Amino acid sequence: MSTNESALAMSLEALEHRLATLETNGNVFFLMINAVIIYFMQAGFALLECGSVRSKNATSVLLKNYVDTVFCGVAYWLFGYALAFGGDPNPFCGTRFWAGESMDSASYMKWFFQFAFASKAVTIVSGAVTERCRIDAYMAYSLIMSALIYPIQSHWAWDPSGWLLRGSGEVGFQDFAGSGVIHLCGGAIAFVAAAIVGPRLGRFKGKDNVEPLTHHNAPLYALGGFILFVGFFCFNGASQQAITGTMDGFVASNAVRNTAIAGSFATVTGLFYSKIVSHVRTGGRGRWSLFATVNAGLCGLVAICASCDKVHDWGAAAIGVIAGLTYFFWSWLIVKIRVDDAIDAVAVHFGGGFWGLIAQPIFKQDGLLFKVATPEAKTAWMALGWNLAGAAAIIAWAMVTSFVVFGFMALCRCLRVSEEVEREGMDSEAAEEECYPPTAYSAFSSIRAVPSQVSVITQQSKIADFSHV
């Protein structure tokens, strides 16, 4: 080989190496940017929940949402990632990478991306038990959820060796971005937690009287909903986990487009359905509902997670409309069985997640809707069967394990705050700072905060800050 040919061969080899490095770094950057935005969804959850509660509990809600994501970081690094993606051909759970031990540097960004997903699953439960669950009890739940409950079932569905993903070999469980793994799991735990901790004082009076407990800040609630809506674009689009492959860009683009369509149709459905219901109930004086509109939209975003990569745009629209209606059914049912879910976390995440798993094998481009009258119908039915089996497994795992966790804390009498604290507001005992301290307002700025005066100020300011509601 001549000198020129040798130099050319070396240049081609160096160019191939540079290209491979560029592809790797491009994928890492793609995951990093999207994972950071997914992590920022925690702010959306915090604002949405804070706006949903009464002002006397606002600081405790913000503290709870802040600490559960960092507790998740601790537990997921120590145990969670190892159980979820431990690199061992075990169909039940992983067995390597405890506290990052022996983890290859190529997996660092995958860890961060999966941690961002895990923290979202953990925080779903917060709103269902808000205004009466002790913060230290919630911290204990966050650790156990992040270290054990969420990782194991995510291994089943997302790790190549997981028994759900492997299925029958021909077909298995399919959940692209977490309708089941994240939302159904979180919603099932939210139901168990809300049922065990019990309803807020005054929520249910008598057999049929359901008392609405006032939301104190609509702008915070709406802003939280906006942040979550934006976050779902990254949540779903980045679930391809790569961007440099031949089809990666198309899959990510299709996922984002379908997410926007499903979320929009679900939101519109919630907007007009709530208006019609209000119109009927009030004899023609119906009003628009911000709360129902935002929640129905979130339910649609949850539902499309499983299939956003594989459905047509009209399929995403249909999934969104049905998800919007699904939200109202589950919201009604939860109240009917007298479980107090303060922000409808069960209706949004359990209801939307369950519908999403059913819709995936029906509406995907080679799904049951297109194959029902063809020789491939058997495979399509098997896909539906595996998704239903996966839903049942996730629900059973989440409910049984969370029943043990919350049931044990209830037996130890360390789950719920006292009646006195609940009436006064959790901020009065659980948090050092009040969200709306009376002495911060100009009318009281010149008064020195001696105990007797603070008591008077607090009573007088209840009209302004709604803490008496």
Side-chain angles (χ1 to χ4, degrees):
M1 182 180 293
S2 68
T3 304
N4 290 338
E5 289 176 337
S6 299
L8 180 60
M10 292 176 63
S11 297
L12 288 174
E13 184 179 352
L15 185 61
E16 289 175 354
H17 177 73
R18 291 282 300 273
L19 181 59
T21 301
L22 184 62
E23 289 181 353
T24 299
N25 291 343
N27 290 330
V28 168
F29 186 73
F30 173 73
L31 280 181
M32 180 174 63
I33 294 299
N34 283 284
V36 167
I37 298 174
I38 293 168
Y39 186 84
F40 185 69
M41 291 175 73
Q42 191 72 19
F45 280 107
L47 294 176
L48 186 141
E49 184 183 344
C50 183
S52 299
V53 302
R54 292 162 289 183
S55 61
K56 61 185 179 180
N57 300 305
T59 300
S60 63
V61 164
L62 295 173
L63 177 63
K64 187 154 51 81
N65 277 270
Y66 196 93
V67 300
D68 73 357
T69 188
V70 293
F71 271 64
C72 178
V74 172
Y76 201 70
W77 174 70
L78 288 172
F79 308 108
Y81 187 81
L83 290 172
F85 303 101
D88 195 51
N90 186 322
F92 184 75
C93 66
T95 57
R96 295 172 55 212
F97 308 144
W98 307 103
E101 176 67 24
S102 71
M103 185 188 297
D104 187 89
S105 60
S107 300
Y108 290 173
M109 187 46 60
K110 181 180 179 180
W111 179 93
F112 179 62
F113 183 78
Q114 294 298 337
F115 154 63
F117 266 34
S119 67
K120 302 294 92 60
V122 173
T123 201
I124 288 170
V125 179
S126 175
V129 297
T130 193
E131 298 196 301
R132 73 269 200 206
C133 179
R134 287 176 51 169
I135 291 182
D136 50 1
Y138 184 80
M139 290 177 183
Y141 146 77
S142 296
L143 286 171
I144 297 170
M145 172 69 165
S146 306
L148 178 68
I149 301 175
Y150 170 80
I152 288 180
Q153 55 90 41
S154 68
H155 177 88
W156 301 347
W158 283 344
D159 188 83
S161 62
W163 67 272
L164 278 177
L165 183 62
R166 292 167 63 180
S168 63
E170 181 181 1
V171 65
F173 180 78
Q174 297 180 18
D175 182 10
F176 182 70
S179 287
V181 176
I182 294 174
H183 299 285
L184 184 64
C185 177
I189 296 174
F191 173 78
V192 172
I196 291 177
V197 75
R200 291 167 292 173
L201 296 176
R203 175 60 168 154
F204 300 114
K205 296 180 179 179
K207 184 178 180 181
D208 299 314
N209 189 9
V210 180
E211 185 70 22
L213 300 180
T214 308
H215 317 105
H216 93 278
N217 196 313
L220 287 182
Y221 187 87
L223 181 57
F226 276 125
I227 292 173
L228 291 176
F229 207 121
V230 172
F232 268 100
F233 295 138
C234 298
F235 202 93
N236 292 353
S239 289
Q240 180 68 5
Q241 299 190 40
I243 198 61
T244 60
T246 303
M247 294 298 294
D248 290 342
F250 168 77
V251 173
S253 300
N254 194 45
V256 171
R257 182 184 69 151
N258 285 333
T259 300
I261 293 171
S264 298
F265 271 83
T267 304
V268 170
T269 300
L271 176 70
F272 285 100
Y273 183 87
S274 61
K275 171 72 171 179
I276 292 170
V277 171
S278 177
H279 185 83
V280 172
R281 287 178 175 173
T282 59
R285 299 188 305 276
R287 296 181 178 180
W288 307 102
S289 172
L290 172 65
F291 185 86
T293 300
V294 172
N295 275 1
L298 293 176
C299 192
L301 294 167
V302 167
I304 198 61
C305 287
S307 58
C308 58
D309 63 322
K310 290 183 178 174
V311 297
H312 294 289
D313 45 9
W314 59 265
I319 291 171
V321 170
I322 297 172
L325 297 174
T326 294
Y327 160 72
F328 289 100
F329 167 75
W330 286 102
S331 180
W332 167 83
L333 181 62
I334 294 302
V335 173
K336 191 70 175 178
I337 61 177
R338 304 180 78 78
V339 172
D340 182 17
D341 178 2
I343 67 169
D344 273 348
V346 178
V348 170
H349 297 280
F350 183 95
F354 186 69
W355 162 238
L357 289 181
I358 295 173
Q360 198 276 350
I362 296 174
F363 284 95
K364 68 177 182 176
Q365 295 174 11
D366 59 344
L368 191 59
L369 196 62
F370 304 93
K371 303 292 185 180
V372 67
T374 68
E376 293 85 9
K378 179 182 177 181
T379 302
W381 281 109
M382 287 178 63
L384 177 60
W386 270 105
N387 268 29
L388 288 172
I394 290 170
I395 292 170
W397 170 257
M399 285 191 165
V400 170
T401 52
S402 60
F403 180 83
V404 172
V405 172
F406 286 100
F408 178 78
M409 288 191 286
L411 286 175
C412 295
R413 300 182 180 276
C414 60
L415 178 61
R416 183 166 179 150
V417 298
S418 67
E419 183 175 328
E420 179 184 358
V421 170
E422 187 174 350
R423 291 188 184 279
E424 183 67 22
M426 291 185 62
D427 291 0
S428 64
E429 180 176 290
E432 181 71 23
E433 304 89 359
E434 290 185 67
C435 194
Y436 306 102
T439 53
Y441 295 95
S442 59
F444 313 114
S445 59
S446 62
I447 301 178
R448 297 185 63 183
V450 297
S452 60
Q453 291 171 325
V454 169
S455 177
V456 173
I457 292 170
T458 302
Q459 294 298 320
Q460 292 175 340
S461 66
K462 286 183 177 180
I463 296 177
D465 71 4
F466 308 108
S467 60
H468 64 300
V469 178

